[in-house]
Amino acid sequence: MAQDHKSSNTSHLNNTNYMYCRQEILGWLYLKARPTSKVSELFVHQLSLHACRIGDVYAGQWHHFHSHQILDAIAELDGKTDTHFTKRETPYRGKILRGLHHKHFFSPMFIAKNIENSVRRNAPELAKLVQERIATSPAGRPVDLDALIAYAATIDAFRLHAARKSGIDPKVTGECIVFKATNTGNVLLTLATHAESDEAIYERVLTARKTLFNVSELSLYADQQAQFDTRHEVRHGNIK
């Protein structure tokens, strides 16, 4: 596993708050993912770190993601919801991660970048909105052009971004869930950021694929975890 990623750190496993969050994550994964999907122990650990606000390190940077935004993306991925706020899942094109897919999840920390991308993409439409507001402004009232431009470049830009319900906007940014698509369901492997190299992500994938949970059994694992040590709950499997 890449040295700058701390998800392999087990120092939190005896932390009461961490263990409580882990139980919650197992339960939520059971509700959000398809019963035929699988999830890695690494993925559960990453989600648990974010759920209890410990956070995690990717490419040398600490990140604190909202676990339910990731869970919502899983629900989108596994067809548990019709909402598609972020870009739909896409396959990796590079040689190292070929055969794997990634699914973006949304976080407020990405709003500024998404606004920037929307302004670049929708500049003519935003300029038209400014012109229409100038044309329809009350007679005799001075036009605050700076305010109109600022509004168009923020509120309007993000509204246009959010209105793309089909989720096909190639400029949507965010971090992602790395998974393997199979005939029987998805295999959720690891979280990743765009700042990481394909090599670093693949190194985690190799670790993640060694230890997998069946989603259909996650509620049972969550119940057992209050009584048994984590290492006795793990189910092993291989990605075909």
Side-chain angles (χ1 to χ4, degrees):
M1 188 172 293
Q3 292 182 352
D4 64 354
H5 191 274
K6 305 302 182 183
S7 280
S8 61
N9 189 335
T10 59
S11 62
H12 302 298
L13 291 181
N14 293 323
N15 181 293
T16 301
N17 185 42
Y18 169 88
M19 297 303 289
Y20 173 80
C21 291
R22 182 183 167 88
Q23 286 181 312
E24 291 287 304
I25 288 299
L26 289 172
W28 278 110
L29 282 168
Y30 178 78
L31 294 174
K32 295 286 189 175
R34 270 186 290 178
T36 54
S37 291
K38 292 185 177 182
V39 59
S40 74
E41 164 61 27
L42 173 61
F43 191 80
V44 171
H45 180 54
Q46 289 175 315
L47 269 181
S48 301
L49 288 175
H50 292 298
C52 64
R53 307 306 297 161
I54 293 173
D56 208 356
V57 176
Y58 305 83
Q61 296 289 324
W62 274 103
H63 288 273
H64 292 85
F65 300 135
H66 195 297
S67 57
H68 280 278
Q69 290 163 339
I70 301 170
L71 290 163
D72 287 346
I74 293 171
E76 289 183 17
L77 180 63
D78 275 3
K80 290 291 190 76
T81 178
D82 293 330
T83 302
H84 292 281
F85 188 64
T86 57
K87 184 170 72 171
R88 292 183 184 273
E89 60 275 13
T90 53
Y92 281 103
R93 303 296 184 185
K95 181 178 179 180
I96 294 174
L97 296 175
R98 188 172 299 162
L100 299 175
H101 287 66
H102 63 284
K103 166 66 178 170
H104 289 95
F105 58 88
F106 180 75
S107 174
M109 67 184 294
F110 309 135
I111 288 178
K113 187 62 178 178
N114 283 320
I115 287 176
E116 177 187 346
N117 290 336
S118 182
V119 169
R120 293 177 185 275
R121 182 183 180 117
N122 302 301
E125 186 172 353
L126 294 170
K128 183 179 178 181
L129 287 172
V130 172
Q131 292 170 352
E132 289 175 352
R133 287 171 183 148
I134 292 174
T136 58
S137 61
R141 179 180 298 178
V143 174
D144 189 341
L145 185 58
D146 289 342
L148 290 179
I149 293 174
Y151 190 92
T154 53
I155 305 301
D156 286 333
F158 195 73
R159 178 180 56 79
L160 291 174
H161 160 75
R164 295 181 179 275
K165 295 180 180 179
S166 63
I168 60 173
D169 185 352
K171 296 298 185 180
V172 170
T173 189
E175 311 306 2
C176 58
I177 299 163
V178 180
F179 68 97
K180 172 80 173 180
T182 73
N183 292 332
T184 57
N186 296 313
V187 184
L188 308 173
L189 294 167
T190 182
L191 298 176
T193 72
H194 295 299
E196 295 184 281
S197 66
D198 286 357
E199 291 83 357
I201 295 172
Y202 185 67
E203 200 171 339
R204 286 206 304 285
V205 167
L206 292 179
T207 299
R209 66 191 299 173
K210 294 177 183 178
T211 306
L212 303 173
F213 292 102
N214 295 314
V215 169
S216 59
E217 299 175 291
L218 285 180
S219 63
L220 175 62
Y221 296 156
D223 291 338
Q224 290 178 339
Q225 189 160 330
Q227 304 175 36
F228 299 102
D229 186 89
T230 302
R231 62 178 176 274
H232 298 308
E233 302 165 29
V234 173
R235 300 296 187 267
H236 297 274
N238 295 309
I239 300 177
K240 301 296 185 183

